[in-house]
Amino acid sequence: MSLNDLFLISPQLSMAGLGILVILADLVLNRKGLVGAVALVGLILPLSFAWAQLTEFPGLLFGSGAENLVPSDSILSDSLAVDRFGVFFNLLVVVSLALVFLASVDYVRALPRLKGEFYGLMLLSATGMMLMASATELITIYVALELTTLPLVAIAAFLPNSSSSEAGMKFMVIGAISSALTLYGMALLYGFSGSTTLAGIALALGGPSEQGLAFGSYAVLVGVVVLTVGIAFKLSAVPSQMWVPDVYEGAPIPMVALLSVASKAVAFALLLRFLYSGFLPFDANWGMLLAVLAAVSMTVGNLVAIAQSNIRRLLGYSTIAHAGYILVGVAAVARDGSGTSDSGAFTTFGPSSVLFYLVAYAAANLTAFFAILVINSKIGSDLIEDYGGVFRKYRLPALALALALVALIGVPPTGIFVGKIYLFAAAVKSELVWLAVLGAINSVVSAYYYIRVIRTMFLDPESEAVKGSENTLQPDEVTLQPQGISKYGMLALTITAICTVLLGIVFGPVIQGAEGAVTSLPGILAP
């Protein structure tokens, strides 16, 4: 392996090395508070390497073209693609993780014996996420999926209570099932194509196929369907969504915050790269398959969220609904801007709408979870009824949570408002008008349960939990409630809240960067 090869995987290597360093630091440092500082400051290294890779492209992220920094004679040439698309998601993962670490300073303070493990496992999971965004080979994809999931399974069961144990167990069992399905789908594709690389699969699919049959072969059809169901686990989409509400309710809040944005984002990156790299000739087949999954996911997520009484479970079903919205952009496949299949080149409209929405969703969802982290540390409850009168005592966190919930509806001037317009316009352009209409209806339905939380915080009388929050809960072995919230948590909350609004006002550069990133995918025209 040459020095250039090490540079190509330097963001992933530095993230994994930082995770190991944090665990070792926890063993030797007497002041355990420094462990979090090492983890947070150490993120400068993978961020710097990712930025260094970005500077290798003409025009940085705002350029266009399918440049791949991995040379054909490299040992990594068939496994990874270091392009604008992968670097875009690497930057998103690192920034999201840094904000989560910043917001969780006080939360982790209540984990005196698990600080190193918490930070180390989060960093190792982030390593898998960064690898997943660049993987172009089935075995590499599978390793990245497992590296992303297993550390989060361990963190989900960190808290010594039944909810956390249930979250970890359900996450592990359903994750194992989805992993088996993913591996089975990969085996079918390998058996048909004789290759584990996406390029090799694409070459095999370009040969003779049975007319009138989806994906040209029963083996490929079954393989793609099974593999899609497996990947849906990472997307938090139907039919692999059963784990989401329990994990969101029982797992540590900082871990859920990272899971809800960074893990979901790289799963969509994997799906886009997989489909556009290996299955371009069958865009009509997988486009309709994903359109159906999008419709079912957004409808199930929104309808079940209405009945929730726990705000974290509510956000769990909300993330299922938003997975459906984002799948609209993946399903929106248009050729040459005409929506016809006469040309072999695709427009950036659908995929770039997915990337922009993921950024906007990350800002809004992190704001929501950071605000919940602050409020939970004060009142010690996640029940929506216990949020009654929260605004009267904790104005800034309540305002931030209200802003995040309004953003998740898709109300201007927030980034998700722009993202939904972008997604639904892409669906219309791809002749999926029915899906855009269903998405708009679901957005209206979602307003009910989001506004219910806002009304409770601002208009309801103070609950017993709020009245009793004068005496802040002490950390204990069951609830692990921190003794307040620090300036670091408020700083992270402020940053994400500002980004939520800014993305709805100054969205041009992010859209331009998303369009430049997706041109790295095969067959997509530069804007």
Side-chain angles (χ1 to χ4, degrees), residues 16-101:
L18 179 60
I20 296 172
L21 176 63
V22 166
I23 294 174
L24 294 176
D26 185 50
L27 295 176
V28 299
L29 291 176
N30 293 324
R31 296 179 58 188
K32 299 302 181 182
L34 293 177
V35 175
V38 171
L40 182 58
V41 175
L43 287 175
I44 295 175
L45 196 57
L47 182 63
S48 300
F49 282 128
W51 185 260
Q53 291 180 349
L54 190 59
T55 59
E56 296 293 316
F57 301 110
L60 298 178
L61 197 61
F62 301 107
S64 61
E67 294 94 354
N68 184 359
L69 298 182
V70 182
S72 58
D73 59 348
S74 170
I75 192 175
L76 305 172
S77 61
D78 292 328
S79 300
L80 294 176
V82 181
D83 50 18
R84 286 187 179 88
F85 186 78
V87 174
F88 181 97
F89 284 96
N90 285 348
L91 293 172
L92 180 59
V93 168
V94 176
V95 171
S96 299
L97 185 60
L99 289 170
V100 169
F101 281 173

Side-chain angles (χ1 to χ4, degrees), residues 9-10 67 107 133 139 145 159 170 235 242 274 277 280 295 317 378 401 429 439 510-512:
I9 58 173
S10 56
E67 294 94 354
Y107 193 95
I139 298 175
L145 284 168
L159 307 184
K170 189 165 289 189
L235 303 177
M242 294 80 70
F274 182 79
S277 296
L280 279 179
Y317 285 106
K378 298 294 185 181
L401 181 56
K429 197 179 186 71
V510 182
I511 289 179
Q512 187 180 355

